[in-house]
Amino acid sequence: MKIKDAIILFFASLILGWAIAETHPKIADPMAVGSIAIPNPQDTIIVPKDTIKASIQQDTIHDVKDKTALFIGDSHTSNHSVGWQVVLCKKTKLRMNNVSVVGKTTGWMLERARLNLSSNYDYCCIYGGANDMYTQSITVKQAVNNIKQIVKLCKIHNVKPVILTGFDPIKCTRTSNVNYGPKYAKFQQTLLDSFGSMVVDTRVIEREQCWDNLCHMNPEGHRKTANQIIKVCKFKVY
């Protein structure tokens, strides 16, 4: 082939390639810098903010007025004047039957649940473990298993269980029992791992909101505990 013919063929190939490229649509690289997908306005649905807000409130806020709750616990739930359960019920209009007794363990609480739980209740608030964890002979596993049995009874009677972790024992207690704080903290974490959303983490109070070395709460501590339950459970306040 002559040089002249070769040059003509080369330029002809370039022109043909350019023509083919121009006849095909260009596809923007979605990963390229500056490449922006522009939505079609006709495909966009605008939902009013008020509608979204109303929908969220309808889905999450629970009105428990005139519903009934069984409260099972130890001394941390047996303050019948300013206890967290009293504050909770006054704010939400939840009706209360409190069978808590000072010094009791989760084993006793299970027996009380067997005696008292029925389909007449809507909720069962369970706050125990402090006395178990102070007692060397009761293990974390045994205490958690007692709570599990109470939860099973709740499900049988179609009652919603609400389990409280209690205060932060490391931060709030001062006792000669060096094992109490770490053991109680392990119990609380096991509750969270075992029951998930059934558990309300009430480790919200400070040391100064405790009346004594075992953190029996003052009125402010009870108020903060009740408010935490209302917040997590999304109860309506009156």
Side-chain angles (χ1 to χ4, degrees):
M1 182 183 293
K2 296 180 180 181
I3 295 177
K4 181 179 179 181
D5 293 337
I7 294 173
I8 293 173
L9 181 60
F10 173 76
F11 282 105
S13 299
L14 288 178
I15 293 170
L16 178 61
W18 174 82
I20 292 172
E22 287 298 313
T23 58
H24 286 76
K26 295 181 179 179
I27 301 175
D29 182 0
M31 300 301 292
V33 177
S35 178
I36 301 175
I38 302 176
N40 188 338
Q42 295 180 349
D43 296 334
T44 303
I45 300 174
I46 299 175
V47 180
K49 291 182 179 179
D50 292 342
T51 302
I52 297 174
K53 183 177 180 182
S55 176
I56 293 173
Q57 289 180 340
Q58 183 179 359
D59 292 340
T60 60
I61 301 302
H62 303 291
D63 189 348
V64 295
K65 182 180 180 182
D66 295 330
K67 292 187 176 182
T68 306
L70 178 66
F71 291 82
I72 303 178
D74 49 34
S75 57
H76 298 292
T77 313
S78 62
N79 186 325
H80 297 286
S81 56
V82 296
W84 62 268
Q85 75 283 353
V86 176
V87 179
L88 174 67
C89 290
K90 284 182 177 180
K91 286 192 170 188
T92 64
K93 306 300 182 184
L94 185 67
R95 294 182 177 179
M96 169 179 51
N97 181 20
N98 186 4
V99 297
S100 304
V101 175
V102 174
K104 299 301 183 180
T105 64
T106 56
W108 176 89
M109 291 168 59
L110 174 56
E111 293 304 315
R112 295 300 294 181
R114 288 172 176 157
L115 289 172
N116 289 274
L117 265 174
S118 73
S119 57
N120 292 327
Y121 293 102
D122 300 287
Y123 293 89
C124 178
C125 295
I126 307 160
Y127 184 178
N131 294 310
D132 301 66
M133 297 305 102
Y134 204 90
T135 305
Q136 185 176 357
S137 60
I138 302 176
T139 66
V140 169
K141 183 177 181 180
Q142 288 172 329
V144 172
N145 282 338
N146 288 333
I147 303 294
K148 285 183 178 179
Q149 294 304 311
I150 298 175
V151 170
K152 284 184 179 179
L153 290 171
C154 288
K155 292 181 178 179
I156 289 172
H157 295 292
N158 198 28
V159 176
K160 182 176 177 60
V162 178
I163 305 167
L164 279 64
T165 63
F167 49 83
D168 184 336
I170 305 296
K171 178 172 64 176
C172 295
T173 61
R174 303 286 187 274
T175 78
S176 58
N177 186 342
V178 295
N179 295 320
Y180 176 62
K183 187 179 178 183
Y184 197 176
K186 182 180 179 181
F187 168 74
Q188 292 172 327
Q189 188 58 52
T190 306
L191 289 180
L192 290 164
D193 293 340
S194 301
F195 298 101
S197 61
M198 295 182 198
V199 183
V200 178
D201 192 341
T202 52
R203 294 174 292 185
V204 294
I205 69 170
E206 303 299 329
R207 170 67 190 147
E208 56 267 25
Q209 288 148 4
C210 302
W211 259 332
D212 58 21
N213 288 336
L214 292 175
C215 196
H216 291 95
M217 296 176 286
N218 64 18
E220 176 63 13
H222 283 291
R223 185 190 66 79
K224 288 183 71 173
T225 298
N227 287 342
Q228 177 71 354
I229 298 168
I230 291 170
K231 177 183 175 181
V232 174
C233 294
K234 298 180 173 63
F235 288 157
K236 182 177 180 179
V237 174
Y238 287 86

